[in-house]
Amino acid sequence: GLQPSEFAPLFQLPEEELAARGIRRVRAGGPGYPCRITLEDAAAGEALLLLNYTSHDVETPYRSSYAIYVREGASQAATYVDEPAPVMQNRPLGLRGFDVAGMLKDARLALPGQAAQKIRELFDRYRKAEPNPASPNPGLTEPRRIKVAWLEATGSEPYYK
């Protein structure tokens, strides 16, 4: 999930200041209010902020931002490894794969229950490719490492005199 420290100060702002920033204070009316910090649906009646968040901050046409919910009092960012968060498993998801320059290279639609499978498809397609800015395709392997050394002589060193 996202870091709570990024949003905590917003909950202290008065309504007028939130509105000036395009932020709305809302209460969950039931399921369907997924918090992007805890990666859980807020409980009915729980206080949240609804705000615009830039999720793909690049200088390309694919720069992306959209409305998200964050729960008041969310203090710990959720972490999921090798599995999608449960809140993402029962929703349709648009999955996008970008290259190192931030350009869209692949996408998948995951219907409810398909998130893990579709993420794995994207990963498997590019997992053996090395990242290369000159390539039109993304790469997910660790780039090769090389050692560089050089010797420099100007001719003014004592050896040459």
Side-chain angles (χ1 to χ4, degrees), residues 66-82:
Y66 198 69
I68 66 167
Y69 293 104
V70 292
R71 297 158 88 178
E72 186 170 14
S75 60
Q76 180 82 22
T79 301
Y80 290 87
V81 177
D82 294 333

Side-chain angles (χ1 to χ4, degrees), residues 2-106:
L2 301 174
Q3 290 303 313
S5 59
E6 186 175 347
F7 306 100
L10 298 174
F11 284 95
Q12 308 310 313
L13 297 178
E15 297 304 316
E16 315 79 59
E17 200 164 333
L18 289 174
R21 296 177 185 207
I23 302 171
R24 306 288 186 267
R25 195 179 313 268
V26 298
R27 294 221 171 255
Y33 296 79
C35 174
R36 292 302 174 99
I37 296 171
T38 63
L39 300 179
E40 299 170 326
D41 274 321
E46 196 169 356
L48 304 107
L49 292 180
L50 174 62
L51 61 123
N52 191 277
Y53 182 79
T54 301
S55 58
H56 189 56
D57 196 4
V58 293
E59 295 300 321
T60 75
Y62 293 104
R63 185 174 195 271
S64 182
S65 66
Y66 198 69
I68 66 167
Y69 293 104
V70 292
R71 297 158 88 178
E72 186 170 14
S75 60
Q76 180 82 22
T79 301
Y80 290 87
V81 177
D82 294 333
E83 66 176 330
V87 75
M88 301 297 179
Q89 293 181 19
N90 297 315
R91 290 178 160 82
L93 298 175
L95 304 171
R96 296 176 297 271
F98 298 94
D99 66 12
V100 295
M103 295 297 288
L104 180 68
K105 293 299 170 185
D106 206 337

Side-chain angles (χ1 to χ4, degrees), residues 82-144:
D82 294 333
E83 66 176 330
V87 75
M88 301 297 179
Q89 293 181 19
N90 297 315
R91 290 178 160 82
L93 298 175
L95 304 171
R96 296 176 297 271
F98 298 94
D99 66 12
V100 295
M103 295 297 288
L104 180 68
K105 293 299 170 185
D106 206 337
R108 298 280 188 284
L109 173 63
L111 297 176
Q114 295 181 331
Q117 169 198 342
K118 296 297 182 174
I119 291 168
R120 176 64 54 196
E121 284 176 15
L122 273 174
F123 177 76
D124 286 347
R125 182 163 182 198
Y126 301 104
R127 71 184 172 134
K128 293 182 181 176
E130 193 172 295
N132 179 353
S135 171
N137 296 315
L140 300 175
T141 62
E142 186 172 343
R144 289 176 283 153

